[in-house]
Amino acid sequence: MAGRFDGKVAIVTGAGRGMGRAVASRFGSEGARVVVAEVNAAHGEEVAEQIRAAGGEACAVQVDVSRSDDVHRLFAAAVESYRAVDIVVNNAGIAVGRALVDYTEEDWDRQMGVNVKGVFFCCQEAARLMIPRRQGKIVNFASTSAFVSSSRPEVAYDTSKGAVRQMTVSIAAELAPHGINVNAVAPGTTATEMTRTSLASEEGVAWQLARIPMGRVGQPDDIASVVLFLCSPEAGYITGHTLVADGGWLLY
Amino acid sequence: MAVAIVTGAGSGIGAATARMLSARGDRVVCADVRLDFAQQTAGGLPDALAVEVDVSDSSSCERMVEDAVHRFGDVDAIVTCAGIEKHGAGHEFSEEDFDRIIDVNLKGTWLSARSAARAMINRGHGGTVVMIGSINSMVGNPGASAYCASKGGVLMLGRTLALDWAQYGIRVNIVAPGVVNTPMSAKSLADPQKRAKMMEKTPLGRPAPPEEIASVIAFLTSDASSFMTGAYVPVDGGTLAAW
């Protein structure tokens, strides 16, 4: 199978469902060896198996990215299986939505643990492997909620995505001299498990569509193609940027 | 096969874009204010057309699109690379120079995009528009007030046209190059002191060849960017990240 990412090793976190799954599948079909990192072992195995069934190469690693020892184990497993890591896509994320007055400390810690601490330690492990090789691509998942508030109250989620956006900027500046590109993608409303409840009712869909100039919600593949672009040589001079793919949501 | 118009195709980012879109199979209209430059780019490409255009002139832009439709039957994409720059302190800059820069960089971007969008809308299909902004759409550059104003204008022009044209399936995105090896920046890059200063603000530590901007334009004129419209896409080696 010949593809843009032949022989490249790509770790995708949260690859068991939604956008992460789409990214992992696309990498698999374009020649990469994919490490399907997923907290739900069954989901991870299923995606890895699907990639292999389609003729690609993949292995699944069960990981909770909010635990740094888990993250360390993930990267060690990737190196053991495929000897190097060329691409890391930090997609794993959760949304703990509450009114501000209802948040508990535990909610806050869980939200930040996955979305911020998880991305940080994955970037750290990636950098340790990439710096000596003077190459690498990292793509983090921000959100339109890194720029404006979410469509329902979820201040902890919005804060976590704002943090990812800024982390991307700072890590990009630090790693650029080592030839490593670090970017983020900011999806708008995308049809995944996470948005299932807000897109469940006709009113919910109508409300979303009224806000999206392109008149449709995003599909996981719309976002996957942007992530793959950021990991390709075509985007070699882009670093430190949060690429918005939202059908125009943020424009007004 | 898609039909793509590239303005400013005679040199720099425009020429690299014309070559790259042609290499992927597009039929390319190479438009430039210098017909001989346009012909030079088009001459090396299969199935390309060279046209002369002054993007600051609305009838010239209409003619360019008519020529494209006449030759290739359609228009699917336009990339507005035509642009000029002139340095001078704000209090010394002439009105004539200011008008010229705004006319070409800002009004010309609108006029050429407008002509292409009209053709797309009339023919009942969508398309893509890629405008060339700059890191100077966001941050200033001493001695380049007119240029920076024009590029700041291009950013909001593109974002608003994205809203106007979304209903027609036309996506509009804005590429923002940092330091690129083109005729426009050749003089500064040839001066070791100026070059060092520019690289100080470029974390990747090198200027981009025009092809590295063209590859992003190719992405934005492809289905891979299907959910992107109104996006500002810096291709700057990290300049804005480290600003």
Side-chain angles (χ1 to χ4, degrees):
Chain A
M1 184 182 298
R4 273 194 292 178
F5 297 98
D6 274 352
K8 298 287 185 194
V9 178
I11 296 178
V12 183
T13 70
R17 302 194 296 195
M19 293 184 266
R21 181 183 189 134
V23 170
S25 301
R26 289 286 298 275
F27 271 128
S29 66
E30 297 205 30
R33 292 176 285 181
V34 187
V35 179
V36 178
E38 168 61 48
V39 69
N40 181 314
H43 287 166
E45 282 301 342
E46 187 188 315
V47 172
E49 181 48 41
Q50 200 176 45
I51 292 171
R52 289 192 296 262
E57 205 174 335
C59 65
V61 179
Q62 198 275 335
V63 60
D64 174 354
V65 295
S66 71
R67 299 171 51 93
S68 65
D69 50 349
D70 258 30
V71 170
H72 184 73
R73 193 170 48 73
L74 163 67
F75 280 76
V79 170
E80 195 183 305
S81 297
Y82 299 132
R83 294 206 301 204
V85 174
D86 301 290
I87 294 163
V88 174
V89 177
N90 290 308
N91 160 79
I94 57 173
V96 183
R98 307 256 188 285
L100 170 62
V101 292
D102 295 331
Y103 269 104
T104 64
E105 184 174 353
E106 193 196 345
D107 291 334
W108 173 267
D109 287 343
R110 202 157 62 87
Q111 180 66 80
M112 294 303 155
V114 176
N115 290 24
V116 181
K117 186 177 162 186
V119 173
F120 178 84
F121 283 102
C122 284
C123 287
Q124 186 187 62
E125 291 285 346
R128 286 175 178 162
L129 294 174
M130 290 172 178
I131 288 171
R133 301 175 64 218
R134 295 201 54 75
Q135 59 170 323
K137 308 276 189 186
I138 298 173
V139 176
N140 299 326
F141 267 70
S143 163
T144 46
S145 301
F147 299 86
V148 297
S149 63
S150 288
S151 40
R152 63 175 67 197
E154 43 188 12
V155 57
Y157 177 79
D158 297 353
T159 304
S160 75
K161 292 304 185 181
V164 168
R165 184 181 167 211
Q166 182 57 41
M167 203 193 306
T168 301
V169 166
S170 298
I171 295 176
E174 184 177 333
L175 296 186
H178 301 285
I180 299 163
N181 298 68
V182 186
N183 291 290
V185 64
T189 305
T190 307
T192 65
E193 283 293 309
M194 199 186 273
T195 55
R196 197 166 46 90
T197 46
S198 36
L199 297 175
S201 67
E202 267 179 47
E203 293 90 340
V205 172
W207 191 90
Q208 293 283 337
L209 293 189
R211 286 286 315 267
I212 305 172
M214 280 181 67
R216 65 178 180 91
V217 299
Q219 296 300 319
D221 265 340
D222 284 316
I223 308 305
S225 59
V226 173
V227 172
L228 264 71
F229 165 70
L230 287 172
C231 295
S232 75
E234 284 72 35
Y237 206 59
I238 302 181
T239 197
H241 182 57
T242 297
L243 204 58
V244 178
D246 67 348
W249 175 284
L250 286 178
L251 291 174
Y252 78 121
Chain B
M1 276 196 299
V3 178
I5 299 173
V6 181
T7 72
S11 64
I13 294 170
T17 300
R19 287 193 296 267
M20 198 166 287
L21 296 186
S22 174
R24 78 167 180 199
D26 288 7
R27 287 171 293 179
V28 181
V29 178
C30 300
D32 201 281
V33 69
R34 289 276 304 264
L35 182 60
D36 53 337
F37 286 13
Q39 284 165 335
Q40 208 173 351
T41 303
L45 307 175
D47 219 4
L49 173 70
V51 300
E52 182 178 339
V53 68
D54 173 0
V55 294
S56 68
D57 179 271
S58 62
S59 54
S60 180
C61 288
E62 286 290 308
R63 265 201 313 279
M64 167 181 75
V65 173
E66 279 164 21
D67 287 351
V69 172
H70 182 73
R71 168 73 182 267
F72 295 125
D74 213 338
V75 177
D76 301 288
I78 184 163
V79 184
T80 60
C81 299
I84 54 175
E85 205 264 319
K86 187 169 180 178
H87 250 66
H91 59 289
E92 289 162 350
F93 215 64
S94 75
E95 184 174 351
E96 194 191 346
D97 285 338
F98 187 90
D99 285 345
R100 188 70 197 137
I101 287 174
I102 296 294
D103 276 354
V104 173
N105 293 8
L106 180 53
K107 188 178 172 187
T109 296
W110 172 60
L111 287 175
S112 45
R114 182 180 71 162
S115 294
R118 281 174 174 168
M120 293 171 192
I121 292 166
N122 285 339
R123 309 180 81 77
H125 62 69
T128 55
V129 178
V130 178
M131 298 180 172
I132 307 301
S134 165
I135 53 172
N136 295 132
S137 301
M138 285 286 181
V139 295
N141 183 10
S145 52
Y147 179 80
C148 292
S150 74
K151 292 300 186 179
V154 166
L155 174 57
M156 285 320 297
L157 175 74
R159 282 179 168 167
T160 308
L161 292 179
L163 290 172
D164 285 353
W165 296 341
Q167 61 184 305
Y168 302 106
I170 300 171
R171 298 188 292 108
V172 184
N173 291 291
I174 305 99
V175 163
V179 183
V180 188
N181 251 322
T182 63
M184 193 186 275
S185 50
K187 229 173 102 182
S188 311
L189 283 172
D191 177 336
Q193 240 177 335
K194 279 188 184 159
R195 185 191 170 96
K197 211 171 160 193
M198 287 158 96
M199 287 303 99
E200 217 169 82
K201 286 202 163 182
T202 309
L204 279 181
R206 60 181 176 83
E211 288 72 21
E212 238 170 342
I213 313 300
S215 59
V216 178
I217 293 168
F219 164 72
L220 291 171
T221 53
S222 79
D223 285 342
S225 57
S226 51
F227 205 49
M228 292 178 62
T229 196
Y232 175 70
V233 186
V235 191
D236 66 355
T239 297
L240 289 178
W243 196 260

Short mmCIF file of all heavy atoms in Angstrom, two decimals, chain B residues 31 34 39-40 42 50 63 71 80 84 101 110 120 136 144 149 161 174 176 179 227 238:
data_model
loop_
_atom_site.label_atom_id
_atom_site.label_comp_id
_atom_site.label_asym_id
_atom_site.label_seq_id
_atom_site.Cartn_x
_atom_site.Cartn_y
_atom_site.Cartn_z
N ALA B 31 -2.44 34.57 -14.56
CA ALA B 31 -2.74 35.98 -14.79
C ALA B 31 -1.69 36.85 -14.12
O ALA B 31 -1.30 36.58 -12.98
CB ALA B 31 -4.13 36.31 -14.25
N ARG B 34 2.10 41.68 -15.88
CA ARG B 34 3.09 41.56 -16.96
C ARG B 34 2.76 40.30 -17.77
O ARG B 34 3.02 39.19 -17.31
CB ARG B 34 4.50 41.45 -16.37
CG ARG B 34 5.03 42.73 -15.74
CD ARG B 34 5.65 43.66 -16.78
NE ARG B 34 6.71 43.03 -17.54
CZ ARG B 34 8.01 43.12 -17.26
NH1 ARG B 34 8.41 43.82 -16.22
NH2 ARG B 34 8.91 42.52 -18.03
N GLN B 39 3.20 34.53 -19.37
CA GLN B 39 3.50 33.57 -20.44
C GLN B 39 4.66 32.67 -20.06
O GLN B 39 4.69 31.48 -20.40
CB GLN B 39 3.80 34.31 -21.75
CG GLN B 39 2.54 34.86 -22.41
CD GLN B 39 2.83 35.90 -23.48
OE1 GLN B 39 3.88 36.57 -23.44
NE2 GLN B 39 1.90 36.08 -24.41
N GLN B 40 5.61 33.25 -19.36
CA GLN B 40 6.77 32.46 -18.94
C GLN B 40 6.34 31.32 -18.02
O GLN B 40 6.79 30.19 -18.15
CB GLN B 40 7.74 33.38 -18.19
CG GLN B 40 9.17 32.93 -18.30
CD GLN B 40 10.11 33.98 -17.70
OE1 GLN B 40 9.70 35.09 -17.35
NE2 GLN B 40 11.37 33.61 -17.57
N ALA B 42 3.14 30.10 -17.73
CA ALA B 42 2.21 29.22 -18.45
C ALA B 42 2.92 28.36 -19.48
O ALA B 42 2.54 27.21 -19.72
CB ALA B 42 1.12 30.05 -19.12
N ALA B 50 -2.18 32.01 -20.42
CA ALA B 50 -1.62 33.24 -19.86
C ALA B 50 -2.53 34.40 -20.19
O ALA B 50 -2.95 34.55 -21.34
CB ALA B 50 -0.22 33.48 -20.42
N ARG B 63 -12.70 40.49 -17.60
CA ARG B 63 -12.13 39.90 -18.83
C ARG B 63 -11.32 38.66 -18.52
O ARG B 63 -11.38 37.66 -19.24
CB ARG B 63 -11.25 40.94 -19.55
CG ARG B 63 -11.97 41.72 -20.64
CD ARG B 63 -10.99 42.34 -21.64
NE ARG B 63 -9.88 43.03 -20.98
CZ ARG B 63 -9.96 44.28 -20.49
NH1 ARG B 63 -11.09 44.95 -20.58
NH2 ARG B 63 -8.91 44.84 -19.92
N ARG B 71 -11.86 29.65 -22.51
CA ARG B 71 -10.86 28.64 -22.85
C ARG B 71 -11.16 27.28 -22.22
O ARG B 71 -11.06 26.24 -22.87
CB ARG B 71 -9.47 29.13 -22.39
CG ARG B 71 -8.37 28.08 -22.42
CD ARG B 71 -7.93 27.76 -23.86
NE ARG B 71 -6.90 26.72 -23.85
CZ ARG B 71 -5.60 26.96 -23.85
NH1 ARG B 71 -5.17 28.22 -23.88
NH2 ARG B 71 -4.74 25.98 -23.82
N THR B 80 -5.55 34.61 -5.21
CA THR B 80 -5.22 36.01 -5.50
C THR B 80 -3.85 36.37 -4.94
O THR B 80 -3.72 36.89 -3.84
CB THR B 80 -6.30 36.94 -4.91
OG1 THR B 80 -6.36 36.76 -3.49
CG2 THR B 80 -7.66 36.62 -5.50
N ILE B 84 1.74 44.06 -4.14
CA ILE B 84 2.94 44.89 -4.22
C ILE B 84 3.29 45.41 -2.83
O ILE B 84 2.46 45.37 -1.91
CB ILE B 84 2.74 46.08 -5.19
CG1 ILE B 84 1.50 46.90 -4.79
CG2 ILE B 84 2.61 45.59 -6.63
CD1 ILE B 84 1.30 48.16 -5.60
N ILE B 101 -0.96 50.77 -3.39
CA ILE B 101 -0.85 49.53 -2.61
C ILE B 101 -2.24 49.02 -2.21
O ILE B 101 -2.54 47.84 -2.33
CB ILE B 101 0.06 49.76 -1.37
CG1 ILE B 101 1.52 49.86 -1.85
CG2 ILE B 101 -0.10 48.62 -0.37
CD1 ILE B 101 2.51 50.22 -0.76
N TRP B 110 -10.40 41.88 -3.86
CA TRP B 110 -11.87 41.83 -3.92
C TRP B 110 -12.35 41.73 -5.37
O TRP B 110 -13.18 40.87 -5.70
CB TRP B 110 -12.46 43.06 -3.25
CG TRP B 110 -13.94 43.19 -3.45
CD1 TRP B 110 -14.88 42.28 -3.06
CD2 TRP B 110 -14.64 44.24 -4.11
NE1 TRP B 110 -16.14 42.74 -3.43
CE2 TRP B 110 -16.01 43.93 -4.08
CE3 TRP B 110 -14.23 45.44 -4.72
CZ2 TRP B 110 -16.98 44.76 -4.63
CZ3 TRP B 110 -15.20 46.27 -5.26
CH2 TRP B 110 -16.56 45.94 -5.22
N MET B 120 -18.84 31.44 -10.67
CA MET B 120 -19.22 30.21 -9.97
C MET B 120 -20.72 30.21 -9.65
O MET B 120 -21.41 29.22 -9.86
CB MET B 120 -18.42 30.09 -8.66
CG MET B 120 -16.92 29.86 -8.85
SD MET B 120 -16.05 30.01 -7.25
CE MET B 120 -14.33 30.07 -7.80
N ASN B 136 1.56 40.10 8.49
CA ASN B 136 1.25 41.51 8.72
C ASN B 136 -0.25 41.82 8.64
O ASN B 136 -0.64 42.98 8.73
CB ASN B 136 2.03 42.40 7.74
CG ASN B 136 3.52 42.33 7.96
OD1 ASN B 136 4.30 42.17 7.03
ND2 ASN B 136 3.94 42.44 9.22
N ALA B 144 6.08 49.91 6.87
CA ALA B 144 5.23 49.24 5.88
C ALA B 144 3.76 49.44 6.23
O ALA B 144 2.96 48.51 6.17
CB ALA B 144 5.57 47.75 5.80
N ALA B 149 -1.69 47.67 6.31
CA ALA B 149 -3.11 48.02 6.26
C ALA B 149 -3.82 47.20 5.18
O ALA B 149 -4.92 46.69 5.39
CB ALA B 149 -3.28 49.52 5.99
N LEU B 161 -16.33 37.77 3.04
CA LEU B 161 -16.77 37.12 1.80
C LEU B 161 -17.07 35.64 2.04
O LEU B 161 -17.95 35.06 1.41
CB LEU B 161 -15.72 37.29 0.70
CG LEU B 161 -15.52 38.73 0.19
CD1 LEU B 161 -14.43 38.78 -0.87
CD2 LEU B 161 -16.82 39.31 -0.35
N ILE B 174 -7.72 32.40 3.93
CA ILE B 174 -6.66 33.39 3.82
C ILE B 174 -5.34 32.78 4.27
O ILE B 174 -5.19 32.38 5.44
CB ILE B 174 -6.96 34.64 4.69
CG1 ILE B 174 -8.33 35.23 4.33
CG2 ILE B 174 -5.87 35.69 4.54
CD1 ILE B 174 -9.46 34.85 5.26
N ALA B 176 -1.39 33.16 5.14
CA ALA B 176 -0.59 34.26 5.66
C ALA B 176 0.89 33.88 5.68
O ALA B 176 1.38 33.34 6.66
CB ALA B 176 -1.07 34.62 7.06
N VAL B 179 8.25 34.82 6.15
CA VAL B 179 9.37 35.18 5.28
C VAL B 179 9.50 34.14 4.16
O VAL B 179 9.70 32.97 4.41
CB VAL B 179 10.69 35.23 6.07
CG1 VAL B 179 11.84 35.69 5.16
CG2 VAL B 179 10.55 36.17 7.28
N PHE B 227 -14.23 21.53 5.34
CA PHE B 227 -15.00 22.20 6.39
C PHE B 227 -14.35 23.52 6.82
O PHE B 227 -14.70 24.10 7.83
CB PHE B 227 -15.20 21.28 7.60
CG PHE B 227 -16.42 21.61 8.44
CD1 PHE B 227 -17.66 21.79 7.85
CD2 PHE B 227 -16.34 21.74 9.81
CE1 PHE B 227 -18.79 22.10 8.60
CE2 PHE B 227 -17.47 22.04 10.58
CZ PHE B 227 -18.69 22.22 9.96
N GLY B 238 6.63 29.63 12.35
CA GLY B 238 6.49 29.85 13.78
C GLY B 238 6.59 31.30 14.22
O GLY B 238 6.56 31.60 15.41
#
